[in-house]
Amino acid sequence: METRIEKDSLGEVKVPGNAYWGAQTQRAVENFPISGLMAHPKMIDAFVMVKKAAAVAHKQLGLLGAEPADAIVQASNEVLRGEMRDQFVVDVYQAGAGTSFNMNVNEVLANRANEILGGEKGAYKPVNPNDHVNMGQSTNDSFPTAMRISTRVLMSEMMPVLDALEMALKEKAKEFDHVLKSGRTHLQDAVPIRLGQEFAGYAATIYKCKRLLSQAATELEELGIGGSATGTGLNVHPKYRYIVCDLYREWTGLPFRPAEDMREAMQSNLPMGAFGGALRNLALELTRIANDLRLLCSGPLTGFAEITLPAVQPGSSIMPGKVNPSIAENLNQICFQVLGLCTTIDYCVQAGQLELNVMMPVMAWNAQFGLTILTNGVRVFTELCVRGITADEERCKHYAETSPSLATALNPTIGYQAAAEVVKQALKEKKTIPAVVLEKGLLSEEDLKKILDPWKMTEPGIPGL
């Protein structure tokens, strides 16, 4: 492979001749052959956007000439269109703070900008990666800015998917509102509930998870760009951070704003912690809902079998005709992975020291990967599972009408102790609750019918009154 010789502050480095990256990126490639995982596409977009905005701002401020600035912008636009994506080669697990990836972006844009201006790769004239592409920046403010932008953009892509899930659950709640069934607590028979009420509860949960994510999104919209190396803004024009945040808003449609305190924005990754907590809550609740659906469809002959999930593939390589809740199982696996990613984010957030948190590269990748797989998983879950759920109304009704927990409605009339004796006798003699009540002469048939109306037991009130 043809190579070229480049120099950095440590000496000479051999770089692939056709590469747009340079010496510092090459050192990172050689130093960190760890996972083979590269930056998330949205992180590349966000970082390139930071560089593009910096070039535009410094041109406006008269700090960067039009020719190099315009070349940087053109190179940035090419990357944002999807070109040169194979040039971002630094492993996710790299040196602290993300300096290696920052220089990867700087070098790629500088080399392409010089090509545009008629120069050669590796010459860094007239556009230098440090002096021009990285002008007014440090890794310490540009990396967290790109991390927050990319995470926030991915969140905006997740929200419509969660909206669709919430709506699908609401539609099922309406469709199943007339379906009476037995409730279950401790996995034991409990008082009646309507299947639609269960699904309405699931929809309400997704709404609350969305609300928590929205709150975290607001925190991510505050950016410490312009803070330079320690949040003091050294070597940065005072107007720079306001100009670039205006550009971020224009280009993304999201309300990014300069941090109130640039030192705090560099020291603390509280917004990433808030995001990780909201994502964790979503994953936990989705796991619970998926588990409920797996229970409710268990069977078809030896389980609950109150609902049927859409059949998407054969369920066994040896048992003919077996169908599994594959989509719900898929969502469970995704949620478990996301919970692990959120734990990693937690550890990274607390690892900041003094003026900087150097654990941002792995924090960023875990956040972006988690959002990607959970967004895709929820989309599949909604379309291939929730929308196609059907109910076995007769089976649900049978469970509701034969449940010994119907006796709960007798408490206000005959008392808890007498109702408990009814339940014990009904279970022992395999009789229904109404049969035992009438046999013992505790209530008239007319009063019993009013009190043990399973439908009325699914709404607030005292049955029979």
Side-chain angles (χ1 to χ4, degrees), residues 188-213:
Q188 304 297 304
D189 297 339
V191 296
I193 189 172
R194 300 197 301 275
L195 184 60
Q197 290 175 315
E198 284 187 326
F199 276 80
Y202 299 149
T205 291
I206 299 303
Y207 171 79
K208 287 188 174 182
C209 288
K210 288 180 359 185
R211 186 172 62 193
L212 293 174
L213 285 165

CSV table of all heavy atoms in Angstrom, one decimal, residues 188-213:
chain,number,residue,atom,x,y,z
A,188,GLN,N,-51.7,-14.4,40.6
A,188,GLN,CA,-52.9,-15.1,41.1
A,188,GLN,C,-54.1,-14.4,40.7
A,188,GLN,O,-54.1,-13.2,40.4
A,188,GLN,CB,-52.8,-15.2,42.6
A,188,GLN,CG,-51.5,-15.9,43.2
A,188,GLN,CD,-51.4,-17.3,42.7
A,188,GLN,OE1,-52.2,-18.1,42.9
A,188,GLN,NE2,-50.2,-17.6,42.1
A,189,ASP,N,-55.3,-15.1,40.7
A,189,ASP,CA,-56.5,-14.5,40.3
A,189,ASP,C,-56.9,-13.3,41.1
A,189,ASP,O,-56.7,-13.3,42.3
A,189,ASP,CB,-57.7,-15.5,40.4
A,189,ASP,CG,-57.5,-16.7,39.5
A,189,ASP,OD1,-56.7,-16.6,38.5
A,189,ASP,OD2,-58.1,-17.8,39.7
A,190,ALA,N,-57.3,-12.2,40.5
A,190,ALA,CA,-57.7,-11.0,41.2
A,190,ALA,C,-59.1,-10.5,40.6
A,190,ALA,O,-59.6,-11.2,39.7
A,190,ALA,CB,-56.6,-9.9,41.0
A,191,VAL,N,-59.5,-9.4,41.1
A,191,VAL,CA,-60.8,-8.9,40.7
A,191,VAL,C,-60.8,-8.6,39.2
A,191,VAL,O,-59.8,-8.4,38.6
A,191,VAL,CB,-61.2,-7.7,41.5
A,191,VAL,CG1,-61.4,-8.0,42.9
A,191,VAL,CG2,-60.2,-6.6,41.3
A,192,PRO,N,-62.0,-8.6,38.5
A,192,PRO,CA,-62.1,-8.4,37.1
A,192,PRO,C,-61.5,-7.0,36.6
A,192,PRO,O,-61.5,-6.1,37.4
A,192,PRO,CB,-63.6,-8.5,36.8
A,192,PRO,CG,-64.2,-9.2,37.9
A,192,PRO,CD,-63.3,-8.8,39.1
A,193,ILE,N,-61.1,-7.1,35.4
A,193,ILE,CA,-60.6,-5.9,34.7
A,193,ILE,C,-61.0,-6.0,33.3
A,193,ILE,O,-61.2,-7.2,32.8
A,193,ILE,CB,-59.1,-5.7,34.9
A,193,ILE,CG1,-58.6,-4.3,34.4
A,193,ILE,CG2,-58.3,-6.8,34.2
A,193,ILE,CD1,-57.2,-4.0,34.7
A,194,ARG,N,-61.0,-5.0,32.5
A,194,ARG,CA,-61.3,-5.1,31.1
A,194,ARG,C,-60.0,-5.1,30.4
A,194,ARG,O,-59.0,-4.4,30.7
A,194,ARG,CB,-62.2,-3.9,30.6
A,194,ARG,CG,-63.5,-3.9,31.3
A,194,ARG,CD,-64.6,-3.1,30.5
A,194,ARG,NE,-64.2,-1.7,30.3
A,194,ARG,CZ,-64.4,-0.7,31.2
A,194,ARG,NH1,-65.0,-1.0,32.4
A,194,ARG,NH2,-64.1,0.5,31.0
A,195,LEU,N,-59.9,-5.9,29.3
A,195,LEU,CA,-58.6,-6.0,28.6
A,195,LEU,C,-58.2,-4.6,28.0
A,195,LEU,O,-57.1,-4.3,28.0
A,195,LEU,CB,-58.8,-7.0,27.4
A,195,LEU,CG,-57.6,-7.3,26.6
A,195,LEU,CD1,-56.4,-7.8,27.4
A,195,LEU,CD2,-57.9,-8.3,25.4
A,196,GLY,N,-59.2,-3.9,27.6
A,196,GLY,CA,-59.0,-2.5,27.1
A,196,GLY,C,-58.3,-1.6,28.2
A,196,GLY,O,-57.5,-0.8,27.9
A,197,GLN,N,-58.7,-1.9,29.5
A,197,GLN,CA,-58.1,-1.1,30.6
A,197,GLN,C,-56.6,-1.4,30.7
A,197,GLN,O,-55.8,-0.5,31.0
A,197,GLN,CB,-58.9,-1.3,31.9
A,197,GLN,CG,-60.3,-0.8,31.9
A,197,GLN,CD,-61.1,-1.1,33.1
A,197,GLN,OE1,-61.0,-2.3,33.6
A,197,GLN,NE2,-61.8,-0.2,33.7
A,198,GLU,N,-56.3,-2.7,30.5
A,198,GLU,CA,-54.9,-3.0,30.6
A,198,GLU,C,-54.1,-2.3,29.5
A,198,GLU,O,-53.0,-1.7,29.8
A,198,GLU,CB,-54.7,-4.5,30.4
A,198,GLU,CG,-55.1,-5.3,31.7
A,198,GLU,CD,-54.8,-6.8,31.6
A,198,GLU,OE1,-54.9,-7.4,30.4
A,198,GLU,OE2,-54.4,-7.4,32.6
A,199,PHE,N,-54.6,-2.3,28.3
A,199,PHE,CA,-53.9,-1.7,27.2
A,199,PHE,C,-53.9,-0.1,27.4
A,199,PHE,O,-52.9,0.5,27.0
A,199,PHE,CB,-54.5,-2.1,25.9
A,199,PHE,CG,-54.0,-3.4,25.4
A,199,PHE,CD1,-54.5,-4.6,25.9
A,199,PHE,CD2,-53.0,-3.4,24.4
A,199,PHE,CE1,-54.0,-5.8,25.4
A,199,PHE,CE2,-52.5,-4.6,24.0
A,199,PHE,CZ,-53.0,-5.8,24.5
A,200,ALA,N,-54.9,0.4,27.9
A,200,ALA,CA,-54.9,1.9,28.2
A,200,ALA,C,-53.8,2.2,29.2
A,200,ALA,O,-53.2,3.3,29.1
A,200,ALA,CB,-56.3,2.3,28.8
A,201,GLY,N,-53.6,1.3,30.2
A,201,GLY,CA,-52.5,1.5,31.1
A,201,GLY,C,-51.2,1.5,30.5
A,201,GLY,O,-50.3,2.3,30.8
A,202,TYR,N,-51.0,0.6,29.5
A,202,TYR,CA,-49.7,0.5,28.8
A,202,TYR,C,-49.5,1.8,28.0
A,202,TYR,O,-48.4,2.4,28.0
A,202,TYR,CB,-49.7,-0.6,27.8
A,202,TYR,CG,-49.9,-2.0,28.4
A,202,TYR,CD1,-50.5,-3.0,27.7
A,202,TYR,CD2,-49.4,-2.3,29.7
A,202,TYR,CE1,-50.6,-4.3,28.3
A,202,TYR,CE2,-49.5,-3.5,30.2
A,202,TYR,CZ,-50.1,-4.5,29.5
A,202,TYR,OH,-50.3,-5.8,30.1
A,203,ALA,N,-50.5,2.3,27.4
A,203,ALA,CA,-50.4,3.6,26.6
A,203,ALA,C,-50.0,4.7,27.5
A,203,ALA,O,-49.2,5.6,27.2
A,203,ALA,CB,-51.7,3.9,25.9
A,204,ALA,N,-50.6,4.8,28.7
A,204,ALA,CA,-50.3,5.9,29.7
A,204,ALA,C,-48.9,5.8,30.1
A,204,ALA,O,-48.2,6.8,30.3
A,204,ALA,CB,-51.2,5.8,30.9
A,205,THR,N,-48.3,4.6,30.2
A,205,THR,CA,-46.9,4.4,30.6
A,205,THR,C,-46.0,5.0,29.5
A,205,THR,O,-45.0,5.7,29.8
A,205,THR,CB,-46.6,3.0,30.8
A,205,THR,OG1,-47.3,2.5,32.0
A,205,THR,CG2,-45.1,2.7,31.0
A,206,ILE,N,-46.3,4.7,28.3
A,206,ILE,CA,-45.5,5.2,27.2
A,206,ILE,C,-45.5,6.7,27.1
A,206,ILE,O,-44.5,7.4,26.9
A,206,ILE,CB,-45.9,4.6,25.8
A,206,ILE,CG1,-45.8,3.1,25.8
A,206,ILE,CG2,-45.1,5.2,24.7
A,206,ILE,CD1,-44.4,2.6,26.1
A,207,TYR,N,-46.7,7.3,27.4
A,207,TYR,CA,-46.8,8.8,27.5
A,207,TYR,C,-45.9,9.3,28.5
A,207,TYR,O,-45.2,10.3,28.3
A,207,TYR,CB,-48.3,9.2,27.8
A,207,TYR,CG,-48.4,10.6,28.0
A,207,TYR,CD1,-48.5,11.6,27.0
A,207,TYR,CD2,-48.5,11.1,29.3
A,207,TYR,CE1,-48.6,12.9,27.3
A,207,TYR,CE2,-48.7,12.5,29.6
A,207,TYR,CZ,-48.7,13.4,28.6
A,207,TYR,OH,-48.8,14.7,28.8
A,208,LYS,N,-45.9,8.7,29.7
A,208,LYS,CA,-45.0,9.2,30.8
A,208,LYS,C,-43.5,9.1,30.4
A,208,LYS,O,-42.7,10.0,30.7
A,208,LYS,CB,-45.3,8.5,32.1
A,208,LYS,CG,-46.7,8.9,32.7
A,208,LYS,CD,-46.8,8.2,34.1
A,208,LYS,CE,-48.1,8.7,34.8
A,208,LYS,NZ,-48.2,8.2,36.1
A,209,CYS,N,-43.2,8.0,29.8
A,209,CYS,CA,-41.8,7.8,29.4
A,209,CYS,C,-41.4,8.9,28.4
A,209,CYS,O,-40.3,9.4,28.4
A,209,CYS,CB,-41.6,6.4,28.7
A,209,CYS,SG,-41.6,5.1,29.9
A,210,LYS,N,-42.3,9.2,27.5
A,210,LYS,CA,-42.0,10.3,26.5
A,210,LYS,C,-41.8,11.6,27.2
A,210,LYS,O,-41.0,12.4,26.8
A,210,LYS,CB,-43.2,10.4,25.5
A,210,LYS,CG,-43.3,9.3,24.5
A,210,LYS,CD,-44.4,9.4,23.5
A,210,LYS,CE,-45.3,10.6,23.7
A,210,LYS,NZ,-46.5,10.6,22.8
A,211,ARG,N,-42.6,11.9,28.2
A,211,ARG,CA,-42.5,13.1,29.0
A,211,ARG,C,-41.1,13.2,29.7
A,211,ARG,O,-40.5,14.3,29.6
A,211,ARG,CB,-43.6,13.2,30.1
A,211,ARG,CG,-43.6,14.5,30.8
A,211,ARG,CD,-44.9,14.6,31.7
A,211,ARG,NE,-44.9,13.5,32.7
A,211,ARG,CZ,-45.9,13.2,33.4
A,211,ARG,NH1,-47.1,13.8,33.2
A,211,ARG,NH2,-45.8,12.2,34.4
A,212,LEU,N,-40.6,12.1,30.2
A,212,LEU,CA,-39.3,12.1,30.8
A,212,LEU,C,-38.2,12.3,29.8
A,212,LEU,O,-37.2,13.0,30.0
A,212,LEU,CB,-39.1,10.8,31.6
A,212,LEU,CG,-39.9,10.5,32.8
A,212,LEU,CD1,-39.7,9.1,33.4
A,212,LEU,CD2,-39.6,11.6,33.9
A,213,LEU,N,-38.4,11.7,28.6
A,213,LEU,CA,-37.4,11.9,27.6
A,213,LEU,C,-37.4,13.4,27.1
A,213,LEU,O,-36.3,13.9,26.8
A,213,LEU,CB,-37.7,11.0,26.4
A,213,LEU,CG,-37.3,9.5,26.6
A,213,LEU,CD1,-38.0,8.6,25.5
A,213,LEU,CD2,-35.8,9.3,26.6
